Amino acid sequence: MTEAAGIIAAAKPGFRPKVGVILGSGLGPMADDVTDATTLDYRDLPGFPQLSVEGHAGRLSLGKIGETPVAVLQGRAHYYEHGRADAMKVPVRTLHALGCEALILTNAGGSLDPAIGPGSVMMITDHINLVQSSPLYDESGNSRFVDMVGAYDTGLQEHARNAAQSTSLTLHEGVYVWFSGPHFETPAEVRFSRLIGGTAVGMSTVPEVILARQVGMRVAGFSIITNLGAGMSSAPLSHEQTMKVAASGAIDLRRLLNRLIADWVS
Ligand code: HPA
């Protein structure tokens, strides 16, 4: 049990979330969908990161989506903020300690496939850890040797496909390639990522997947595609552009996640 988990449990006695959600760029407003919410700031939770990126609020909301008890983290720390892959270790372990059996991760990403354009939603079916860093470097013992086969839960993927169908959303699927950022990729890096089997590139999420799998949480991941990868279009890349398109793509993903979580089947 992390110290933060003790504080959270005391703030909402008897509450046991089933599903944890980490909201990335543009999806913050989804925290408003949590009913009967108790909210805590990361700064009051020992070990939670202090965030520096616009669009990441740094708040935890505990409550329900439909009848499903959830813990929603509004904002994450990224590897590029300090060069450490373990920035989300305490939050992910806290969600597990509180009772979450699954973790839903969201992010913004650049598409490597011209057919998956800005505003699209992509479900992550696997990833490539191109940064080749790990949140588990400081650990000892055998639990650090995490099996990453099936890291993205196939059962949750099936539920997400059903939720997409019932909300009339085109849900793309593919492989997420993790770059460190905060700079965007070069066109050569984007071509390379396509060659090695990537579908989208991004600057987050992979460390959290490793942490969640280490403790046995089922994982689902979704990218809001905010742009085509560097060099694939003439549009310049910027965080402002990411935020703007993420906010509009978020409307679809928010609907999908609400359905997926409200219809939760363990
Ligand atoms: N690259 C990396 N991360 C991103 C991108 C991108 O093109 N778009 C949004 N996040």
Side-chain angles (χ1 to χ4, degrees), residues 23-218:
L23 299 175
S25 299
L27 263 174
M30 190 175 160
D32 297 341
D33 299 334
V34 177
T35 57
D36 191 21
T38 301
T39 305
L40 292 121
D41 282 331
Y42 289 5
R43 69 169 165 271
D44 297 325
L45 299 172
F48 274 53
Q50 300 312 306
L51 307 184
S52 70
V53 185
E54 192 190 335
H56 289 257
R59 258 194 310 272
L60 165 66
S61 297
L62 305 160
K64 285 185 173 179
I65 292 181
E67 287 305 310
T68 307
V70 293
V72 176
L73 292 177
Q74 218 176 333
R76 60 159 56 86
H78 303 79
Y79 177 80
Y80 62 69
E81 291 173 69
H82 316 94
R84 295 182 61 107
D86 64 356
M88 292 299 283
K89 187 184 268 190
V90 170
V92 171
R93 290 190 179 165
T94 298
L95 292 177
H96 181 246
L98 291 171
C100 291
E101 62 190 42
L103 181 61
I104 298 177
L105 297 158
T106 69
N107 60 39
S111 173
L112 301 171
D113 180 346
I116 306 178
S120 304
V121 177
M122 185 190 94
M123 177 162 69
I124 304 174
T125 55
D126 205 347
H127 72 227
I128 296 174
N129 180 348
L130 205 58
V131 176
Q132 279 297 293
S133 189
S134 172
L136 305 178
Y137 281 155
D138 290 337
E139 311 231 327
S140 56
N142 289 344
S143 74
R144 70 188 130 164
F145 299 109
V146 179
D147 185 353
M148 295 301 289
V149 176
Y152 297 86
D153 191 89
T154 51
L156 292 183
Q157 288 177 35
E158 202 44 44
H159 292 320
R161 287 183 197 106
N162 292 336
Q165 203 160 40
S166 63
T167 55
S168 304
L169 170 74
T170 302
L171 183 61
H172 300 277
E173 300 186 14
V175 175
Y176 179 85
V177 184
W178 181 35
F179 278 84
S180 75
H183 50 279
F184 287 97
E185 297 71 35
T186 64
E189 288 166 343
V190 162
R191 289 195 299 276
F192 171 72
S193 300
R194 289 173 73 163
L195 277 177
I196 61 174
T199 317
V201 288
M203 304 178 193
S204 68
T205 302
V206 165
E208 293 137 57
V209 177
I210 297 168
L211 289 163
R213 290 307 303 146
Q214 186 190 32
V215 291
M217 276 194 281
R218 301 164 75 196

Side-chain angles (χ1 to χ4, degrees), residues 237-250:
L237 301 180
S238 69
H239 189 61
E240 289 70 27
Q241 171 72 4
T242 298
M243 296 284 295
K244 206 169 97 196
V245 183
S248 60

